[in-house]
Amino acid sequence: MLVVLSFLFGALVGSFLNVCVYRLPKDESIVFPGSHCPHCNKSIAFYDNIPILSYLILRGRCRNCGKSISLQYPLVEAVSALGSLLLFSTFGPTLSYLIYYFFFASLIVITVIDLYHQIIPDVISLPGIGAGLLASLVLPKITFFNSLMGVLLGGGSLFLVATTYQWLFKREGMGGGDIKLLAMIGAFLGWKAVILTILFGSLIGSLVGIGIMVVKGKGFKYAIPFGPFLSFGAVFSLFYGERIIRWYLFLNR
Ligand SMILES: [Zn+2]
């Protein structure tokens, strides 16, 4: 029963995350006004604003103007709901669940905004670093020292990569947004997870990059945002990090 509630809670928060994705890059208030159609501007009635379901019932079209609604809306709601459910199944009705779900939800917003705009908003990552440091005081899985090391390693390592790249190629290869994002990930998950996140994020990022080059041709130049892959790596570390580290230590005994 509670697991179902955690799914519904995640779906509800998901529809708020959609609002953040749409309004944060425009510096609009995320509270007022209520949801409205991006095409015809008509405000959306509460019965047409039910997470996931409304999209299916309306078959992805606005009730007023009939123009299509982005698939992003139900997708974000579904991912948010699923993440909430998985985290609840892992941590139960604890503060850990709420904190990690808050972290997960921030990563969703960062990922979608980075995909659309190639930026990672400071208004999420900077307070996120502080929130992660504070959270380590109450989270049983991580000490404050580990969290602090995570911030330093996460921010420091990417800063080093970014400055080296800039020095070698005389152009910016990695944005400051990625640096702050990895510092935030380190704050919530600790320094070991930072290493896993870089490894896993780069692996998935290279695979996707190669895939795009194969499809679009070699000469194709497009800056693939790194934020989504870092986020993906962080979620992977959150769920499987401990298991992988234990397995790795076991192999090296
Ligand atoms: Zn409309």
Side-chain angles (χ1 to χ4, degrees):
M1 180 63 202
L2 278 175
V3 173
V4 177
L5 273 182
S6 74
F7 183 86
L8 294 178
F9 173 66
L12 268 179
V13 174
S15 74
F16 172 69
L17 299 181
N18 275 317
V19 175
C20 296
V21 164
Y22 187 71
R23 295 185 191 175
L24 274 182
K26 296 181 177 180
D27 271 331
E28 285 179 31
S29 158
I30 50 172
V31 189
F32 294 107
S35 306
H36 47 83
C37 168
H39 305 293
C40 65
N41 248 338
K42 188 168 164 49
S43 58
I44 296 164
F46 72 92
Y47 50 82
D48 281 341
N49 210 1
I50 305 159
I52 308 168
L53 278 182
S54 285
Y55 185 87
L56 299 175
I57 293 167
L58 294 168
R59 291 198 210 134
R61 295 188 178 283
C62 167
R63 189 189 287 279
N64 185 48
C65 67
K67 288 219 174 99
S68 66
I69 305 164
S70 165
L71 192 61
Q72 171 216 318
Y73 290 90
L75 263 181
V76 163
E77 285 154 4
V79 170
S80 170
L82 215 62
S84 173
L85 183 139
L86 286 174
L87 286 168
F88 190 84
S89 313
T90 311
F91 296 102
T94 58
L95 197 57
S96 293
Y97 154 70
L98 270 183
I99 291 172
Y100 287 125
Y101 175 63
F102 167 82
F103 172 63
F104 180 79
S106 325
L107 291 180
I108 295 179
V109 176
I110 285 174
T111 295
V112 184
I113 290 181
D114 202 12
L115 284 175
Y116 278 131
H117 306 280
Q118 273 84 51
I119 50 157
I120 295 171
D122 284 350
V123 284
I124 305 176
S125 57
L126 288 182
I129 296 172
L133 284 168
L134 277 178
S136 72
L137 299 172
V138 289
L139 285 172
K141 273 167 81 101
I142 183 171
T143 61
F144 180 76
F145 180 71
N146 189 359
S147 169
L148 191 65
M149 291 302 286
V151 174
L152 295 177
L153 184 68
S157 57
L158 277 198
F159 180 75
L160 212 67
V161 171
T163 35
T164 311
Y165 187 93
Q166 197 155 16
W167 181 71
L168 281 175
F169 300 100
K170 306 288 179 233
R171 63 188 169 92
E172 195 176 72
M174 191 176 295
D178 295 317
I179 299 172
K180 285 167 247 175
L181 170 60
L182 195 58
M184 168 181 158
I185 291 169
F188 276 94
L189 303 180
W191 66 271
K192 283 180 198 158
V194 166
I195 298 171
L196 267 185
T197 299
I198 296 176
L199 287 177
F200 195 72
S202 317
L203 180 71
I204 301 288
S206 323
L207 289 178
V208 171
I210 291 167
I212 290 178
M213 272 207 275
V214 167
V215 174
K216 301 261 181 183
K218 240 188 200 163
F220 182 74
K221 264 202 179 153
Y222 169 70
I224 302 167
F226 199 35
F229 300 113
L230 287 178
S231 302
F232 207 73
V235 172
F236 182 79
S237 306
L238 174 57
F239 283 110
Y240 299 105
E242 278 181 8
R243 240 175 284 179
I244 292 174
I245 290 164
R246 244 182 285 141
W247 173 73
Y248 181 79
L249 291 177
F250 177 75
L251 285 182
N252 282 281
R253 255 204 313 218

